[in-house]
Structure formats: C-alpha cells, structure tokens
Amino acid sequence: MKKLYVLFFFAITSSFAQQGSLCTDPIVITSLPYTTTDNTTNYGDNYDPSTTSNPTCSTTSSGNYYHGGNDVIYSYTPTQSGTIKIEMPSAIGWAGLFVYTDCANIGVTYAACSTSTSTGNRTINNFAVTAGQTYYFFLSTWPDPQTMAYTLNVTQLTLDINEFEATQKIGLYPNPVKDKLQIQSNLDITSASIISINGQVIRKVEVKDNTIPMEDLQSGLYIVQINTANGSILHQKITKL
C-alpha cells in the first residue's frame, strides 16, 4: 500500500507541475522579439544530468554542473530559417543558458550554451535556426545558488526569406570535409562565414573559385553561411574531419 501511495503522489504532483518545469511542457515562445522576467524558485529541480561526462560548452567543460539548481525551460519553433540571439542579461554567477534540439539531449548534447562563474550576460549570438525545428532554452544554476532571478531575451537577427531558394540553387560538398569546401552554384556569392555550433562567428571567409578553406579548423560541427547578391542566404551544417 505504501508503494501505491508513493506512485499516486508522484502522478498527482507531475500532473500539476508548473509549465516550464519540464521539457515536455515548456513555456512556448510564439513570436520574436520576446522578453520575460521570472525566478527559477517558481520551478522545480527536475534535471540533474551526470557530471562525470560533461559535453563541452563554449565557455567551460563542466556544463552539466550548471544543471544542478532549479530549471526552467522555454521552447521556440521558427516558421522561417534565420539567426537569433538568446540572452540572459546581468545573470548571477554560476548561472547557465543552454539550447537543446530535443528533450532527450538534456545533459547529453548541447546545441549551444553560455556559462560563467561570474555575474554578467549569458549570450548565445548568431544562432542559426531552421524553420519547423523546435529549440529548447534551458536556464539553470549550480546547486549553490539553487535558484535565481533572471531575464530572458530572444531576438531575431536575420530572417532567411530566400533560404528555400538558396537551398535549391546552392550545394556545399564534400560533407564531411577535410580541406576545402566547394560551393556548387550559378549564383553570385558575395560572402561566406563559418559559425560555431554555439552560434559564434569564427570568421568571415573570402570565397575564391567557389572554394572555402577549412583545413585549419579543428574537427567538429560547424555552420557555414553563404550570402548571395540576390539576397539569398543559406545555412548548412558541415562536419569538419
């Protein structure tokens, strides 16, 4: 009977969980720009992934430690591809901001992240989003402090109205790439940028003979942005060997 009571209590508690406490019931951001102010004390501590195997974050190798406090989760599904900026301004020390593309990835694979032990902004800039893909913004802290007051700002940086057109007219190969990335297109390519998976522009690239040099990059996943004279923009994920 005691076991049945515990299961019943857990079921009742879960059914009345505050929206935003669980990835399966996030606070939905319907349009940009978006801003909100809240406190994680209003949400539970539902995610404490293992700290023995930390995925690498842009600013630390101990990202899962930043999941130890109370968690709040927002979701955003863009209707058009482009780039966005996610920011927690004036965040307290030991606070972290993460982006996931699937609830199953929490603590396993970050799409982007920003953490620090010091007070200051947590910013994920130039983050490439794809139309129809849901992105989860995960805000939390180390176990001390357990909770935090926060502001979350999400803004649109670029809107790739012609992304579909660019996808049809521009090809990037080989992928994975070792040395040089070839651009296959009849369009006039004006510029190209290489962006880290955390949304940081690593460098703008001079395109010569429709070729982008990749040999000096570390192995990993990158986003290549191609801009054309007619305003088309293409974002494509590229694996560097």
Side-chain angles (χ1 to χ4, degrees), residues 2 5 26 38 41 51 64 69 78-79 84 99 110 115 118 128 135 176 178 181 191 213 225 238:
K2 182 177 181 181
Y5 174 78
D38 205 337
T41 193
T51 55
N64 280 358
T79 57
I84 64 174
V99 179
Y110 317 141
T115 64
S118 303
Y135 298 89
K178 184 177 181 180
L181 187 66
S191 64
Q225 177 178 302
I238 298 292

Side-chain angles (χ1 to χ4, degrees), residues 166 169-172 182-193 205-212 224-230 232-234:
K169 295 183 178 181
I170 301 175
L172 300 179
Q182 303 294 325
I183 305 173
Q184 186 176 33
S185 177
N186 293 323
L187 299 176
D188 182 13
I189 308 299
T190 57
S191 64
S193 298
V205 186
E206 183 180 357
V207 178
K208 292 183 178 180
D209 299 323
N210 278 9
T211 300
I212 298 176
V224 175
Q225 177 178 302
I226 303 293
N227 299 279
T228 69
N230 70 350
S232 295
I233 302 175
L234 172 70

Side-chain angles (χ1 to χ4, degrees), residues 95-132:
L97 170 63
F98 298 82
V99 179
Y100 290 105
T101 56
D102 192 294
C103 292
N105 290 340
I106 293 179
V108 178
T109 304
Y110 317 141
C113 52
S114 179
T115 64
S116 178
T117 59
S118 303
T119 300
N121 294 351
R122 306 292 184 271
T123 304
I124 298 171
N125 205 3
N126 296 303
F127 181 74
V129 295
T130 302

Side-chain angles (χ1 to χ4, degrees), residues 135-208:
Y135 298 89
Y136 300 93
F137 308 144
F138 185 101
L139 287 61
S140 190
T141 57
W142 279 54
D144 184 13
Q146 180 68 30
T147 63
M148 66 172 175
Y150 67 89
T151 296
L152 174 66
N153 297 326
V154 186
T155 53
Q156 188 85 50
L157 297 181
T158 65
L159 186 61
D160 296 344
I161 299 173
N162 297 316
E163 181 91 27
F164 177 78
E165 177 186 356
T167 303
Q168 303 305 304
K169 295 183 178 181
I170 301 175
L172 300 179
Y173 69 95
N175 187 14
V177 60
K178 184 177 181 180
D179 297 320
K180 298 184 184 300
L181 187 66
Q182 303 294 325
I183 305 173
Q184 186 176 33
S185 177
N186 293 323
L187 299 176
D188 182 13
I189 308 299
T190 57
S191 64
S193 298
I194 297 176
I195 303 170
S196 74
I197 199 62
N198 297 315
Q200 301 297 317
V201 177
I202 297 174
R203 65 176 179 236
K204 292 187 177 180
V205 186
E206 183 180 357
V207 178
K208 292 183 178 180

